[in-house]
Amino acid sequence: MIETERLLIRKFTPSDAVDLFAYLSLPEVYRFEPGEPTTLQEASDLARERAEADNFLAVVLKASGKMIGHLYFEQRQPPEFRTWEIGYIFNPAYQRLGYASEAASALVDYAFANLSPHRIMARCDQKNPASWKLLEKIGFTREGAFKQVAYFCMDEVGNPIWIDAFEYSKLEKGR
Ligand SMILES: CC(C)(COP(=O)(O)OP(=O)(O)OC[C@H]1O[C@@H](n2cnc3c(N)ncnc32)[C@H](O)[C@@H]1OP(=O)(O)O)[C@@H](O)C(=O)NCCC(=O)NCCS
């Protein structure tokens, strides 16, 4: 459990299903992410799976107990490189209020204090300023720009819609 001024960051529980469905059911959250809108049943399955996993964390408003988004945090291979990847999706009703950067910053601080990472990195679509501004706000540095590194959907004739991405990182001892 990580606590910030306004938030608790904790493991998922099966009872997060309804709050998870509230945003994973919306097409707009997949604009820069793989996946498609979930049903309530799929969100329930995901909440149960994530309750057993270590790589997704629920972000909850302290004031109301509402789950408003989640963080992804996973160690990349090989383990001796001590590199972790961070990601995030927040409910659009709670975006642009500083919650996502508050949560991501607290997780990064927690990780540097407790998990001994050498490097924490993130990749985001160049057309997703919400993501790269968040990373810059919490002290990440843009390391590179990549052309057509991935695609999450196809066009109307079945060709991949390739995305250009930025990669950001924060190092254990700065630069
Ligand atoms: C990325 C995401 C978590 C950011 O959430 P958020 O609640 O807007 O984040 P914050 O309120 O902490 O804002 C972070 C910074 O981004 C800026 N920002 C947010 N949305 C923006 C937008 N649409 N355009 C430009 N800047 C934006 C904010 O102004 C803030 O910067 P500032 O404080 O210097 O002004 C949210 O947009 C989201 O869940 N998007 C859908 C999923 C997604 O794309 N995830 C990332 C995949 S890499």
Side-chain angles (χ1 to χ4, degrees):
M1 176 92 80
I2 302 170
E3 187 171 349
T4 68
E5 192 189 336
R6 300 178 293 172
L7 304 169
L8 292 177
I9 302 164
R10 58 153 171 79
K11 282 194 74 132
F12 268 88
T13 68
S15 60
D16 290 322
V18 170
D19 286 339
L20 193 59
F21 175 68
Y23 61 95
L24 289 189
S25 58
L26 304 175
E28 66 206 83
V29 303
Y30 302 99
R31 183 157 172 231
F32 301 110
E33 276 282 325
E36 43 190 55
T38 62
T39 62
L40 180 56
Q41 184 57 53
E42 288 164 343
S44 299
D45 294 344
L46 266 182
R48 252 198 325 275
E49 276 168 32
R50 290 179 180 187
E52 301 300 320
D54 291 329
N55 52 352
F56 284 94
L57 292 164
V59 179
V60 175
L61 284 180
K62 278 204 288 202
S64 63
K66 185 170 178 64
M67 205 275 283
I68 59 165
H70 64 260
L71 300 167
Y72 162 80
F73 197 64
E74 183 158 315
Q75 188 168 16
R76 289 168 62 117
Q77 299 301 319
E80 60 270 25
F81 288 177
R82 291 186 287 123
T83 294
W84 298 70
E85 180 167 3
I86 189 168
Y88 26 71
I89 300 183
F90 274 65
N91 185 327
Y94 296 88
Q95 288 180 17
R96 301 206 81 157
L97 297 167
Y99 291 129
S101 43
E102 186 172 323
S105 175
L107 176 60
V108 167
D109 287 351
Y110 174 89
F112 277 121
N114 295 282
L115 303 176
S116 187
H118 173 64
R119 182 169 186 270
I120 301 178
M121 52 77 57
R123 266 202 179 172
C124 60
D125 193 314
Q126 294 183 15
K127 293 184 187 139
N128 189 2
S131 184
W132 54 259
K133 283 193 178 175
L134 180 159
L135 292 165
E136 290 178 1
K137 189 172 176 180
I138 68 170
F140 279 59
T141 301
R142 185 182 295 174
E143 292 187 338
F146 299 88
K147 297 244 176 254
Q148 302 192 5
V149 282
Y151 64 88
F152 301 138
C153 50
M154 310 289 199
D155 67 16
E156 58 290 344
V157 291
N159 294 317
I161 303 176
W162 292 100
I163 60 164
D164 297 339
F166 291 134
E167 184 162 319
Y168 279 79
S169 85
K170 190 164 188 179
L171 300 180
E172 63 182 323
K173 296 204 170 96
R175 271 153 221 284

